[in-house]
């Protein structure tokens, strides 16, 4: 949510910041801005509503050429105040000597604002961020240095933040800090780059330093100095190497990131199983859980938390872990979990699922149980992210960077990893151990087969492109899959869609069915198929239209559904994985037909770092 980049070094900083912002645009894209200070200590500020290109155009058309080796920039997803030039970042103090970009939320901003107004300060934006440069300005009047004023300001802020500040007081430095919002420094040969996400850095260097909570960092053109402002200590931390390459951040010839990422399904399944499963003798080895293996033996309840797609993957995980490992599982929305006052015993473990590893609600859920002394596990895609770092142990998804706002390959990798965890926890005792391991090995090939049907899926999707409402139904493993399918259609095509357990139809949703309210029925081969047929018949009897997703070879379904999309046969436990790809393509082509911005749906942002 929002992206920040700062650059200081020998090269021109503005193009590096703009490129970094382009790489972060998937995180927020309603307005953007850049501030630079040139060698005459003169500052320039460029802000625009809309994407980064609008700011780039503004900079290119500037009467005064923009030449500077230090710059900061921001791409915004509005929280306080609508997208406007005033509300875009960088935010400044009144005399425009301090420039600040910020991710997160300052919870006590109105308190600080009132106090500063009382001191004669004037505010021009509706943002919470504006209090930061103004408060630094206030403290600077008494402080010995900008750094001291910055630290004093941090001490007064409540909430979550990653901040980068630039000032004409000391134009040869960038000042940054973090609390519950990611911040990383890239150390290249000729410049240092401060960013909220390594994606902004990767084109220049793979050497990075992750900044932790309550740390501030002063960066100059050659070095960085980290200070823990809570403990008032200096922190020594060297760089580490990022383990992905810039190729992973490109569209690789696809028109959108979403399509590219859907087509990565076979590779995603493969890398989630790589080095983890063996067939002869059958074995699941999860290095990330090894060091807590003795604790895991005593777990008699697992609570899974996540948001959106990760929550739905968790629901599939619930069925998998209960069926395979026989451990009772409860899945909770992270945004609700934190409000509950439920009892926890030491033999309960919490498992957080997150693609980004930065979702504020999921982090809050983990924080809530911090003092309970229970085991905290993670299923995370983004290596080195906050959730990955705050859990005791976990399993990475290894899906590679996901750039489209709608989660696609992450869901697939999460379900694969949850299946592996279920098999691992079963300790080889489940009768499903061997068959599911064999099926996991075959799954990438089946996903590749399925993708060959993209044109058929597109043709069928286009028949439904003008429908305003959609129902998604499924039973057992296909119920959470239906919820996820409905979410995809909502978020990328802006179509009202509801996911339902098929068995619930007669308890209410059937009332909505008429010729203008189609249903996507997940009707693949399983012990529940006969019952799903009955649901389809009931819908047809009420003149509803039905698209069915069925297993290859099922000819009967053609006589009950209006349209059928076939997917390869697989174990019912893995059907959500293949069905997800079908529903992602279905939503994708409806969205494309509607001409919407598929990678960046309106009102959304990747990585929801505010609660
Ligand atoms: C849906 C989607 C969101 C995320 C949710 C959780 O396509 O992208 O619903 O799944 O915001 O995000 P992570 O997994 O990063 O915690």
């Amino acid at each position: 949510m929002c992206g920040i980049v700062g650059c200081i070094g020998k090269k021109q900083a503005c193009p590096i910041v703009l490129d970094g912002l382009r790489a972060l645009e998937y995180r927020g894209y309603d307005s953007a801005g850049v501030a630079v200070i040139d060698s005459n200590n003169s500052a320039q500020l460029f802000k625009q509503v809309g994407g980064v290109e609008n700011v780039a155009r503004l900079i290119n058309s500037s009467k005064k050429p923009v030449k500077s080796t230090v710059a900061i920039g921001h791409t915004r997803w509005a929280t306080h105040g609508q997208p406007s030039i005033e509300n875009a970042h960088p935010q400044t103090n009144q005399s425009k000597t301090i420039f600040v970009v910020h991710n997160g939320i300052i919870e006590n901003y109105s308190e600080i604002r009132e106090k500063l107004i009382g001191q004669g300060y004037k505010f021009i934006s509706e943002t919470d961020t504006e209090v930061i440069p103004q408060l630094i300005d206030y403290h600077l009047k008494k402080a010995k240095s900008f750094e001291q004023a910055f630290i004093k300001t941090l001490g007064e802020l409540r909430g979550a933040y990653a901040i980068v500040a630039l000032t004409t007081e000391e134009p040869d430095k960038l000042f940054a800090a973090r609390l519950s919002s990611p911040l990383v420094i890239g150390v290249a040969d000729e410049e240092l780059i401060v960013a909220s996400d390594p994606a902004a850095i990767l084109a220049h260097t793979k050497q990075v330093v992750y900044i932790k909570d309550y740390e501030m960092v002063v960066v100059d053109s050659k070095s960085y100095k980290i200070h823990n402002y809570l403990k008032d200590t200096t922190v020594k931390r060297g760089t580490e190497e990022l383990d992905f390459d810039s190729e992973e951040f490109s569209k690789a010839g696809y028109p959108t990131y979403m399509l590219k990422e859907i087509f990565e399904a076979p590779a995603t399944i493969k890398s989630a199983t790589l080095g983890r499963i063996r067939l002869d003798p059958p074995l699941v080895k999860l290095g990330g859980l090894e060091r807590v293996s003795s604790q895991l033996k005593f777990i008699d309840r697992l609570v899974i938390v996540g948001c959106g797609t990760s929550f739905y993957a968790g629901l599939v995980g619930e069925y998998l872990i209960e069926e395979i490992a026989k451990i009772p599982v409860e899945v909770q929305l992270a945004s609700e979990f934190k409000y509950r006052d439920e009892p926890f015993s030491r033999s309960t473990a919490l498992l957080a699922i997150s693609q980004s590893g930065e979702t504020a609600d999921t982090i809050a859920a983990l924080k809530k149980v911090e003092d309970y002394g229970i085991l905290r596990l993670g299923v995370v895609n983004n290596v080195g992210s906050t959730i990955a770092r705050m859990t005791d142990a976990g399993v990475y998804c290894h899906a590679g960077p996901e750039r489209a706002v709608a989660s696609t390959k992450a869901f697939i990798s999460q379900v694969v990893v949850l299946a592996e965890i279920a098999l691992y926890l079963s300790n080889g005792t489940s009768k499903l151990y061997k068959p599911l391991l064999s099926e996991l090995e075959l799954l990438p090939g089946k996903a590749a087969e399925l993708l060959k049907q993209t044109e058929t899926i597109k043709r069928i999707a286009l028949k439904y492109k003008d429908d305003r409402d959609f129902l998604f139904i499924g039973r057992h493993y296909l119920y959470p899959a239906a919820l996820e399918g409905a979410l995809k259609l909502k978020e990328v095509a802006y179509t009202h869609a509801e996911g339902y357990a098929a068995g619930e139809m007669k308890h209410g949703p059937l009332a909505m069915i008429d010729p203008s309210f189609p249903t996507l029925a997940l009707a693949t081969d399983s012990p529940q198929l006969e019952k799903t047929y009955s649901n389809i018949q009931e819908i047809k009897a009420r003149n509803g239209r039905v698209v069915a997703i069925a297993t290859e070879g099922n000819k009967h379904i053609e006589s009950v559904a209006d349209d059928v999309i076939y997917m390869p046969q697989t174990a019912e436990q893995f059907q959500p994985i293949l069905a997800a790809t079908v529903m992602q393509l279905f939503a994708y082509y409806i969205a494309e037909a509607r001409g919407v911005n598929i990678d960046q749906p309106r009102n959304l942002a990747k990585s929801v770092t505010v609660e």
Side-chain angles (χ1 to χ4, degrees):
M1 201 154 258
C2 303
I4 57 183
V5 192
C7 176
I8 183 161
K10 289 188 189 153
K11 293 184 192 155
Q12 286 302 310
C14 202
I16 294 176
V17 165
L18 283 172
D19 273 349
L21 291 179
R22 287 183 187 105
L24 296 186
E25 215 175 6
Y26 70 106
R27 297 178 66 104
Y29 33 81
D30 59 38
S31 52
V34 169
V36 301
I37 299 177
D38 67 20
S39 51
N40 299 321
N41 207 9
S42 147
Q44 283 171 285
L45 180 61
F46 304 91
K47 301 205 280 187
Q48 274 293 24
V49 173
V52 175
E53 282 327 307
N54 292 354
V55 179
R57 269 194 292 276
L58 192 66
I59 292 171
N60 287 337
S61 62
S62 164
K63 283 197 190 100
K64 182 180 166 199
V66 180
K67 285 206 165 123
S68 170
T69 52
V70 60
I72 59 171
H74 188 266
T75 175
R76 180 171 186 249
W77 185 88
T79 54
H80 291 72
Q82 60 183 9
S84 68
I85 290 180
E86 290 75 27
N87 290 338
H89 301 201
Q91 289 290 318
T92 72
N93 59 337
Q94 271 164 266
S95 54
K96 293 203 169 40
T97 53
I98 301 167
F99 302 84
V100 166
V101 288
H102 162 227
N103 280 0
I105 281 191
I106 305 302
E107 284 164 3
N108 58 336
Y109 83 100
S110 43
E111 230 171 83
I112 298 173
R113 199 176 155 115
E114 286 316 307
K115 177 182 117 178
L116 291 171
I117 288 172
Q119 298 289 326
Y121 280 80
K122 290 194 177 62
F123 285 78
I124 55 164
S125 82
E126 300 159 278
T127 65
D128 52 340
T129 303
E130 194 180 357
V131 301
I132 304 172
Q134 304 265 44
L135 192 57
I136 299 174
D137 180 288
Y138 172 76
H139 287 306
L140 201 51
K141 291 183 179 138
K142 287 192 195 137
K144 288 200 191 102
S145 66
F146 187 86
E147 184 175 335
Q148 214 180 63
F150 189 64
I151 292 176
K152 201 123 182 58
T153 299
L154 296 173
E156 285 185 44
L157 304 180
R158 265 204 328 267
Y161 51 77
I163 298 168
V164 184
L166 172 65
T167 173
T168 52
E169 299 281 327
E170 292 186 60
D172 54 349
K173 291 189 182 102
L174 289 175
F175 298 82
R178 82 155 259 176
L179 180 62
S180 305
S181 190
L183 191 68
V184 59
I185 304 169
V187 183
D189 290 342
E190 300 199 328
E191 66 275 334
L192 278 86
I193 303 166
V194 188
S196 51
D197 184 325
I201 292 172
L202 209 56
H204 306 277
T205 180
K206 282 190 176 181
Q207 294 302 316
V208 298
V209 189
Y210 287 96
I211 303 304
K212 298 184 180 169
D213 279 354
Y214 299 108
E215 287 179 352
M216 72 141 324
V217 52
V218 182
V219 183
D220 62 28
S221 60
K222 291 194 193 87
S223 60
Y224 59 90
K225 189 183 85 188
I226 306 173
H227 178 79
N228 183 310
Y229 55 88
L230 195 65
K231 298 184 189 148
D232 194 17
T233 50
T234 301
V235 178
K236 289 256 169 279
R237 189 172 307 132
T239 59
E240 53 187 283
E241 189 164 321
L242 285 173
D243 73 344
F244 31 69
D245 50 61
S246 43
E247 176 60 15
E248 290 182 86
F249 285 95
S250 77
K251 286 188 195 154
Y254 286 89
T256 58
Y257 283 109
M258 183 173 174
L259 197 60
K260 176 194 170 217
E261 287 159 9
I262 295 172
F263 270 79
E264 282 171 3
T268 300
I269 301 169
K270 227 188 176 92
S271 48
T273 58
L274 207 68
R276 291 174 174 166
I277 63 168
R278 209 168 61 195
L279 296 187
D280 197 15
L283 186 70
V284 180
K285 207 170 164 340
L286 298 175
L289 296 185
E290 277 310 311
R291 67 198 156 92
V292 294
S293 59
S294 49
Q295 272 168 283
L296 284 170
K297 289 197 182 90
F298 298 102
I299 295 307
D300 60 12
R301 177 178 174 237
L302 187 66
V303 176
I304 296 181
V305 288
C307 301
T309 291
S310 296
F311 170 72
Y312 296 140
L315 291 174
V316 181
E318 176 178 26
Y319 291 165
L320 286 165
I321 294 167
E322 290 191 338
E323 183 177 19
I324 301 169
K326 306 292 179 207
I327 296 173
V329 179
E330 194 186 323
V331 191
Q332 297 191 32
L333 286 165
S335 55
E336 286 296 314
F337 175 80
K338 58 190 179 197
Y339 303 125
R340 289 176 60 162
D341 190 9
E342 61 188 289
F344 274 98
S345 79
R346 283 294 191 94
S347 51
T348 298
L350 186 79
L351 171 68
I353 305 179
S354 176
Q355 186 288 123
S356 61
E358 302 295 349
T359 301
D361 285 317
T362 314
I363 292 172
L366 282 163
K367 279 193 178 148
K368 173 183 162 175
V369 299
E370 217 155 37
D371 300 330
Y372 295 10
I374 66 167
L375 187 64
R376 299 187 301 169
L377 305 169
V379 169
V380 174
N381 188 36
N382 192 3
V383 176
S385 56
T386 305
I387 295 176
R389 283 159 189 261
M390 69 192 289
T391 42
D392 303 307
V395 185
Y396 277 122
C397 293
H398 292 319
E402 195 181 58
R403 295 291 306 275
V405 164
S407 209
T408 53
K409 60 176 177 169
F411 176 81
I412 286 172
S413 64
Q414 287 164 346
V415 175
V416 171
V417 166
L418 288 163
E420 289 171 338
I421 291 177
L423 292 164
Y424 176 87
L425 293 176
S426 82
N427 228 341
T429 54
S430 168
K431 63 180 187 324
L432 292 167
Y433 199 76
K434 198 168 173 209
L436 288 185
L437 278 178
S438 308
E439 188 58 21
L440 262 183
E441 190 80 5
L442 298 175
L443 215 52
K446 293 186 179 182
E449 271 308 301
L450 173 61
L451 286 165
K452 289 185 188 153
Q453 294 198 53
T454 297
E455 278 308 309
T456 310
I457 298 169
K458 178 176 181 177
R459 181 178 50 74
I460 293 173
L462 292 182
K463 287 168 77 172
Y464 296 86
K465 71 177 179 16
D466 297 321
D467 287 292
R468 299 306 308 165
D469 307 283
F470 237 101
L471 199 62
F472 284 65
I473 57 168
R475 285 172 185 267
H476 196 199
Y477 280 99
L478 295 171
Y479 162 50
L483 298 175
E484 168 59 10
L487 176 62
K488 285 293 94 85
L489 192 61
K490 273 186 263 214
E491 65 179 330
V492 299
Y494 313 155
T495 300
H496 163 234
E498 291 198 47
Y500 254 99
E504 282 292 291
M505 287 298 286
K506 287 193 266 304
H507 300 288
L510 204 51
M512 298 189 291
I513 297 300
D514 67 17
S516 69
F517 204 130
T519 300
L520 189 144
L522 291 161
T524 43
D525 289 0
S526 76
Q528 296 78 37
L529 182 56
E530 289 296 327
K531 290 204 168 68
T532 305
Y533 280 154
S534 307
N535 293 124
I536 296 175
Q537 301 284 12
E538 286 155 13
I539 292 166
K540 292 303 300 170
R542 279 136 190 106
N543 295 321
R545 289 172 294 147
V546 175
V547 189
I549 299 181
T551 303
E552 260 160 20
N554 179 352
K555 288 290 157 209
H556 171 69
I557 192 112
E558 290 176 13
S559 63
V560 288
D562 296 87
D563 291 289
V564 181
I565 300 170
Y566 287 107
M567 62 179 225
Q569 180 282 330
T570 185
E572 58 172 326
Q573 292 80 0
F574 297 146
Q575 287 171 0
I577 296 173
L578 298 184
T581 298
V582 176
M583 295 185 291
Q584 289 161 7
L585 287 167
F586 189 81
Y588 181 88
Y589 286 112
I590 292 182
E592 188 187 61
R594 295 221 174 132
V596 301
N597 183 349
I598 296 179
D599 281 340
Q600 298 174 342
R602 68 183 178 206
N603 308 337
L604 299 182
K606 192 86 180 160
S607 196
V608 185
T609 51
V610 288
E611 292 178 35

